Amino acid sequence: MPAATDALPVTLADVLAARARIRGIAIETPLKPSPSLSTLAGGPVWLKVETMQATGAFKLRGAASRLLALGADERARGVVTVSTGNHGRGVAYVARQLGMRAVVCVSALVPQNKRAALRAVGAEVEVVGTSQDAAQAHAEALARDAGLILVSPFDDPWVIAGQGTCGLEIVERLPEVRSVLVQLSGGGLASGVALALKSADPSIRVIGVSSDRGPAMLRSLEAGRPIEVTEEASLADSLGGGIGLDNRCTFRMVQALVDDVRLVSDAQVAHAMRHAYVHERLVVEGAGAAGIAALLAEPRGIPTPAVLLLTGDNVDHATFQHAVCGADCGAATRFAALAARPVDARP
């Protein structure tokens, strides 16, 4: 049984305050019933369509929560963050509305389409190294040397509270929910959503879903402490990155609130992207389809009614085409890796 939520660094009151704070920037997204997945699971399955956010991903919630909590002096300094794409886009989107400077540090594994999307909303993009940890170190140096406010993509109480608003919407719209499959990378989304759900009903089962290509949170949970993992190119690129050896919030919250963690392969992610497109008429990026991938892999192992989060739709066209059209998953992964390289570096 998960630990009591009142001992954690974020509370339900924080999530409720975040909901009021981000209203007008992040929207309440719909729960879409999925007849095809319901048939497979043997009970009702719903999809939480976070792809409808203005930036195409749930990350807008946490970004808005953090930036809107800054004081006037802090806003004048500008912000810097590290991102696999979607968080940075959310930060830049909100920063532009607030008239702030936003610098986003990414690794070379972040696809070109996501870098272009960052620039399109006004971000200054700096590409550093081949890991999230390298990009994080650069962001920390910019915060120290240029006086920018460092905004964590996940390990921040304001960000976690913002992501938790997604969980509030689920339990308010579907109080009878029995399980929620939530993407698990750095843990900001899983921490916030699990907090909101468990505060309403501790018996709701929260299942984290990670890529099998460097599942940093799962390996850290197994070790009993935050550890580093080797990052690999993946179709679910948004699930990449470490959790930070000095993790302050999400490791403890995931450890306390998430009931199970399941790994999905790139082949399963490609299958899930095809399923979302063919059966749901939805375009979903690799990480966004992770919950579908986990359910398709073990459909009768998910308590229903169940909710699966579709967390983003920011996928390179060629990668999406190769995944959806049934090309082998190795080809789709290679296209995802190729999409991360600048045009002049491609063969």
Side-chain angles (χ1 to χ4, degrees):
M1 179 66 67
T5 59
D6 58 5
L8 298 172
V10 181
T11 67
L12 179 61
D14 296 326
V15 179
L16 292 169
R19 175 160 64 178
R21 189 163 53 249
I22 69 177
R23 188 173 289 123
I25 294 183
I27 65 169
E28 180 174 343
T29 55
L31 280 177
K32 181 181 183 293
S34 173
S36 63
L37 294 175
S38 297
T39 297
L40 290 171
V45 175
W46 300 75
L47 304 174
K48 181 67 167 160
V49 192
E50 285 293 293
T51 57
M52 294 183 67
Q53 297 291 356
T55 58
F58 79 95
K59 287 284 193 177
L60 182 60
R61 295 175 183 268
S65 176
R66 185 66 188 97
L67 267 62
L68 289 168
L70 295 175
D73 290 345
E74 292 173 311
R75 292 183 186 185
R77 291 164 57 186
V79 295
V80 61
T81 192
V82 59
S83 177
T84 53
N86 290 334
H87 168 72
R89 191 174 181 184
V91 167
Y93 178 87
V94 179
R96 171 180 275 185
Q97 294 197 27
L98 298 177
M100 297 170 58
R101 179 190 181 194
V103 180
V104 180
C105 302
V106 302
S107 83
L109 293 178
V110 173
Q112 285 289 330
N113 72 297
K114 290 189 174 180
R115 299 184 210 173
L118 287 167
R119 295 186 178 98
V121 288
E124 301 172 32
V125 179
E126 301 207 10
V127 183
V128 184
T130 57
S131 72
Q132 184 90 333
D133 289 340
Q136 175 70 33
H138 186 66
E140 291 172 356
L142 285 175
R144 181 181 62 250
D145 299 338
L148 298 169
I149 301 296
L150 182 65
V151 178
S152 171
F154 55 87
D155 196 34
D156 179 287
W158 301 95
V159 171
I160 295 167
Q163 317 304 24
T165 61
C166 183
L168 285 180
E169 293 169 14
I170 291 172
V171 78
E172 289 173 354
R173 287 286 192 92
L174 194 69
E176 67 272 25
V177 65
R178 290 294 84 210
S179 65
V180 175
L181 276 70
V182 57
Q183 283 77 351
L184 179 61
S185 180
L189 178 64
S191 294
V193 167
L195 173 67
L197 296 171
K198 299 285 189 180
S199 295
D201 182 352
S203 70
I204 297 173
R205 189 165 177 79
V206 180
I207 301 169
V209 184
S210 300
S211 168
D212 66 0
R213 295 185 170 227
M217 183 62 80
L218 176 59
R219 298 300 176 234
S220 296
L221 292 171
E222 292 171 343
R225 57 182 174 80
I227 63 171
E228 293 181 344
V229 297
T230 301
E231 293 184 46
E232 302 177 46
S234 170
L235 189 54
D237 56 88
S238 292
L239 293 181
I243 69 168
L245 295 180
D246 58 348
N247 188 287
R248 300 177 299 116
C249 302
T250 60
F251 175 75
R252 183 151 53 103
M253 292 186 71
V254 170
Q255 192 176 47
L257 299 173
V258 173
D259 298 287
D260 188 18
V261 178
R262 302 192 182 188
L263 298 181
V264 291
S265 67
D266 272 12
Q268 290 168 328
V269 167
H271 183 200
M273 293 170 70
R274 288 195 293 274
H275 185 98
Y277 184 70
V278 171
H279 296 278
E280 312 297 343
R281 310 310 298 169
L282 291 169
V283 173
V284 186
E285 64 182 89
I292 296 178
L295 187 144
L296 291 175
E298 193 178 347
R300 296 295 170 135
I302 307 296
T304 58
V307 174
L308 282 55
L309 274 65
L310 305 184
T311 51
D313 65 2
N314 297 310
V315 57
D316 174 80
H317 176 73
T319 302
F320 180 77
Q321 185 177 38
H322 275 74
V324 168
C325 291
D328 69 277
C329 77
T333 302
R334 288 191 294 276
F335 266 83
L338 184 62
R341 297 168 61 186
V343 172
D344 59 7
R346 299 180 192 180

